[in-house]
Amino acid sequence: MSENARGCSDGSCTRESCAGCEHSKESMLEQLNQYSSIKNVIGIVSGKGGVGKSFVTAMLAVLLNRKGYRVGILDADITGPSIPRMFGITGKASANEFGLLPELTVNNIKIMSVNLLLDKEDSPVVWRGPILAGTVKQFWTDVVWEELDYLFIDMPPGTGDVPLTVFQSIPLDGIVIVSSPQDLVSMIVKKAYNMAKLMNIPILGYVENMSYVKCPDCGKEIPIFGESKLGEIASETGVDILGRIPIDPVLASLVDKGEFERFSCDYLSGAADHIEKMYESKV
């Protein structure tokens, strides 16, 4: 019987399933590439797709990079990778005798994504769960990240096999949960929250995307997806709201052009400051 099947082998955990306990978590961690050193690893998660998780990942990475930190993005959304396109990266990842080499953005953010390994960026990734999970592990063990202050992991949506693999295999220092205003998402946010608590992963805060659209004529903020429920969830769970991002055509245009690093808004500046403050002793 495996260690996780029924409690820890040393008897320190008596739960029916100890997949989230510290003993189990430590035993399942993968070794970072030996030519890499990463001080802080932060996952960006959501309970469902389509809420802007990659968008938040990219924005936080750019903001920390602007503060002078060495930053990388591990695109763990293997079947729906979008990070390279946002940064205008069209080349393919190379390798040397030490491992895979990440691509660099204009401002030297390091990127690794499955789309950097495919012949064509629109080729479908038709893989089963174990291969998807194994690929994410390889982005941790086989990529030569070198020295990083922050590695942001753009997680796949949901609470299934690949997110579980990341939670168990990579030593996350914390996660940010991304949501949108719809009432349905309230339930989904709690699923992501409860998974993180089950796995003993610190929750840094919530970010709400698509919170409103601003009228270009009068400046009024219009909540086109309805009134936000995130405040209620934050109060109930005791987790801070780190920022709210509106629907912004300027940002959408930069994404389409692959020029996301040029954004000038401050929607998540407070979130970047919060992350910097939390981990300032480690950088």
Side-chain angles (χ1 to χ4, degrees):
M1 183 179 292
S2 70
E3 183 174 83
N4 286 326
R6 191 178 296 276
C8 293
S9 59
D10 67 355
S12 62
C13 178
T14 58
R15 290 173 51 189
E16 183 73 13
S17 171
C18 65
C21 77
E22 290 302 320
H23 180 276
S24 172
K25 187 162 63 174
E26 290 176 7
S27 70
M28 300 182 71
L29 290 177
E30 297 288 337
Q31 289 294 319
L32 177 64
N33 175 272
Q34 62 178 315
Y35 303 104
S36 303
S37 175
I38 301 173
K39 295 178 179 176
N40 302 289
V41 183
I42 299 172
I44 311 300
V45 310
S46 63
K48 66 181 293 295
V51 298
K53 176 176 40 58
S54 299
F55 189 85
V56 171
T57 302
M59 184 169 283
L60 287 174
V62 171
L63 290 170
L64 269 298
N65 173 258
R66 289 177 181 175
K67 288 175 174 285
Y69 295 108
R70 297 164 295 183
V71 179
I73 299 176
L74 189 163
D75 189 354
D77 194 353
I78 304 299
T79 59
S82 56
I83 293 294
R85 171 64 74 90
M86 295 179 70
F87 289 93
I89 297 176
T90 57
K92 301 303 175 187
S94 58
N96 60 22
E97 65 271 30
F98 305 118
L100 284 169
L101 302 178
E103 286 289 293
L104 296 176
T105 70
V106 171
N107 292 312
N108 293 316
I109 296 174
K110 294 183 177 181
I111 305 287
M112 179 50 67
S113 170
V114 74
N115 259 16
L116 303 180
L117 305 175
L118 301 175
D119 291 333
K120 298 180 179 179
E121 70 170 4
D122 58 358
S123 297
V125 178
V126 189
W127 299 342
R128 294 194 182 274
I131 300 178
L132 296 174
T135 301
V136 172
K137 290 182 182 180
Q138 283 187 288
F139 286 172
W140 177 255
T141 61
D142 296 358
V143 172
V144 184
W145 294 103
E146 298 183 300
E147 299 283 335
L148 290 181
D149 297 309
Y150 294 95
L151 177 67
F152 290 94
I153 301 183
D154 182 12
M155 300 271 280
T159 56
D161 189 44
V162 179
L164 180 61
T165 294
V166 175
F167 278 16
Q168 292 182 323
S169 303
I170 298 176
L172 292 170
D173 292 284
I175 63 167
V176 174
I177 299 177
V178 182
S179 73
S180 57
Q182 300 97 318
D183 188 47
L184 168 66
V185 177
S186 300
M187 175 188 68
I188 303 300
V189 168
K190 290 180 182 177
K191 287 181 180 290
Y193 168 87
N194 288 329
M195 180 180 184
K197 299 298 285 186
L198 177 67
M199 303 300 296
N200 294 313
I201 306 295
I203 303 170
L204 305 182
Y206 300 122
V207 169
E208 185 175 80
N209 190 32
M210 299 179 284
S211 292
Y212 58 89
V213 64
K214 184 173 289 188
C215 174
D217 296 323
C218 68
K220 181 181 179 180
E221 296 180 359
I222 305 169
I224 60 174
F225 289 118
E227 294 299 324
S228 173
K229 304 297 189 299
L230 190 59
E232 299 173 12
I233 298 173
S235 178
E236 180 181 338
T237 58
V239 176
D240 293 334
I241 298 175
L242 301 181
R244 299 178 189 269
I245 307 172
I247 297 173
D248 189 334
V250 174
L251 291 177
S253 177
L254 290 174
V255 169
D256 289 342
K257 294 176 182 177
E259 299 176 353
F260 191 70
E261 284 174 293
R262 294 179 53 199
F263 74 79
S264 59
C265 65
D266 61 354
Y267 302 132
L268 290 187
S269 293
D273 292 343
H274 179 79
I275 290 171
E276 179 185 33
K277 185 175 181 180
M278 285 200 68
Y279 300 114
E280 58 187 353
S281 63
K282 296 178 62 178
V283 296

